[in-house]
């Protein structure tokens, strides 16, 4: 089985090296995101960034979930980004 595949690839490379090279680059481009460690960190950063960005609101004194200042630490801790 593998000898037949090897013979086919060798024959195809001898006849059409440009097509074989482009197929190889395409396969690497399709497989690389699944084996890259950067994919894990990209997913973690995308999960940490909010989908809906905050809208300025007037504080009436009864809003415990809204920070009084944008630099006030509310929400999830993002210290794991510093430790990458």
């Amino acid at each position: 089985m593998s000898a037949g595949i090897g013979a086919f690839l060798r024959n195809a490379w001898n006849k059409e090296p440009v097509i074989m090279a482009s197929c190889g680059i395409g396969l690497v481009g399709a497989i690389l995101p699944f084996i890259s460690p950067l994919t894990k960190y990209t997913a973690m950063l995308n999960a940490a960034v909010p989908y809906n960005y905050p809208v300025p609101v007037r504080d009436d004194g009864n809003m415990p979930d809204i920070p009084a200042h944008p630099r006030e630490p509310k929400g999830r801790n993002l210290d794991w980004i510093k430790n990458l």
Side-chain angles (χ1 to χ4, degrees):
M1 177 77 178
S2 64
I5 294 172
F8 170 75
L9 292 175
R10 192 175 318 109
N11 187 27
W13 178 258
N14 289 334
K15 289 184 178 182
E16 298 290 342
V18 174
I19 293 174
M20 289 297 293
S22 66
C23 290
I25 292 171
L27 284 172
V28 168
I31 293 172
L32 191 62
F34 296 107
I35 61 173
S36 173
L38 294 178
T39 305
K40 171 187 171 187
Y41 297 119
T42 302
M44 290 169 65
L45 285 170
N46 285 340
V49 174
Y51 184 73
N52 296 322
Y53 289 93
V55 177
V57 295
R58 289 182 183 261
D59 188 6
D60 63 357
N62 191 18
M63 298 180 175
D65 59 336
I66 297 176
H69 190 270
R71 306 274 323 242
E72 184 179 335
K74 290 266 188 178
R76 296 174 55 196
N77 189 353
L78 298 178
D79 286 338
W80 60 269
I81 296 175
K82 297 176 186 174
N83 300 327
L84 290 179

